[in-house]
Amino acid sequence: KQEVTQIPAALSVPEGENLVLNCSFTDSAIYNLQWFRQDPGKGLTSLLLIQSSQREQTSGRLNASLDKSSGRSTLYIAASQPGDSATYLCAVGPRDYKLSFGAGTTVTVRA
Amino acid sequence: GAGVSQSPSNKVTEKGKDVELRCDPISGHTALYWYRQRLGQGLEFLIYFQGNSAPDKSGLPSDRFSAERTGESVSTLTIQRTQQEDSAVYLCASSRADVGGRYNEQFFGPGTRLTVL
């Protein structure tokens, strides 16, 4: 069974600092990895999808890397803003359809 | 275009009652998924539809849970004889057809928050 771990569970930084969120998974036979953002009381917003053949994906201030062999992914958010405050979830997709989720990292960016 | 929508957004019910939760996927998305998120816990996969067939129901927690899908559109998750442990946010997601075995990005709805008293 795939186990997905996210560290740290919570993170508080001053505005402008770069954020580094970590995700690890136990089974490296993945098809892709997806990073989501969840705001309180809301659903999930897809941020980045990395296919297993890729090493990274970038979108604006976001950059996600993937190292399948070591079972790790890192989400970098440059120059954080208070609007980046949310819970960030990492989800791993095997060759079928089920996503296995981590418990998330709750980020607070202080103005 | 419109994203995944779910209704109701909130549902409060008494223990023992039945509830129905609805999901409207993104138009053209043939795959539909239900997940559950209990307070302080990660998301749990419940069921997956490809078209209107459900090849995998293994995540349904008990036989009180069932789901249907009409064609390639609306899906309904039904919980019979609700229990307090069913209280959670129920999230629906959809994705494009799994063409050639490629797994596609899942897009989530806002969820239904279910509270069983």
Side-chain angles (χ1 to χ4, degrees):
Chain A
K1 181 187 172 187
Q2 180 73 269
E3 300 286 342
V4 182
T5 303
Q6 291 187 247
I7 294 173
L11 188 58
S12 178
V13 299
E15 183 176 4
E17 192 164 300
N18 296 333
L19 289 164
V20 180
L21 309 179
N22 298 300
C23 172
S24 62
F25 46 95
T26 54
D27 185 350
S28 62
I30 68 169
Y31 204 68
N32 60 26
L33 186 145
Q34 203 166 345
W35 280 95
F36 294 91
R37 168 187 173 135
Q38 186 173 32
D39 292 283
K42 302 288 179 64
L44 277 64
T45 300
S46 179
L47 297 174
L48 290 167
L49 172 70
I50 312 176
Q51 301 288 355
S52 63
S53 58
Q54 297 175 314
R55 294 194 65 84
E56 69 175 342
Q57 274 286 355
T58 298
S59 176
R61 294 185 294 112
L62 306 180
N63 174 276
S65 65
L66 174 63
D67 185 340
K68 261 184 58 175
S69 60
S70 66
R72 294 179 190 278
S73 176
T74 302
L75 178 67
Y76 301 90
I77 304 177
S80 61
Q81 304 168 358
D84 295 328
S85 298
T87 296
Y88 291 83
L89 296 167
C90 163
V92 174
R95 284 192 178 274
D96 54 15
Y97 39 83
K98 295 179 193 177
L99 288 177
S100 297
F101 281 84
T105 295
T106 299
V107 171
T108 303
V109 180
R110 308 186 302 272
Chain B
V4 178
S5 61
Q6 293 185 246
S7 61
S9 55
N10 279 285
K11 176 72 176 178
V12 179
T13 190
E14 294 179 349
K15 178 181 172 181
K17 301 278 189 180
D18 297 352
V19 295
E20 278 191 358
L21 312 180
R22 177 187 169 110
C23 172
D24 282 271
I26 292 171
S27 177
H29 281 194
T30 61
L32 186 147
Y33 318 79
W34 284 97
Y35 293 85
R36 177 171 74 173
Q37 186 177 31
R38 288 193 273 196
L39 187 64
Q41 299 185 23
L43 273 79
E44 305 169 67
F45 167 82
L46 297 179
I47 189 169
Y48 155 68
F49 287 91
Q50 184 61 256
N52 63 3
S53 67
D56 188 349
K57 303 178 182 180
S58 65
L60 294 178
S62 77
D63 59 8
R64 297 185 295 104
F65 287 70
S66 62
E68 292 183 345
R69 188 177 184 195
T70 305
E72 294 184 349
S73 58
V74 172
S75 176
T76 302
L77 178 68
T78 301
I79 309 173
Q80 295 178 310
R81 305 180 303 281
T82 52
Q83 303 294 314
Q84 288 181 333
E85 63 262 26
D86 299 334
S87 296
V89 176
Y90 289 82
L91 291 160
C92 174
S94 70
S95 68
R96 295 196 310 265
D98 206 42
V99 177
R102 284 186 63 86
Y103 166 85
N104 286 287
E105 187 174 5
Q106 293 187 17
F107 295 88
F108 281 75
T112 293
R113 182 175 299 277
L114 174 66
T115 303
V116 182
L117 302 176

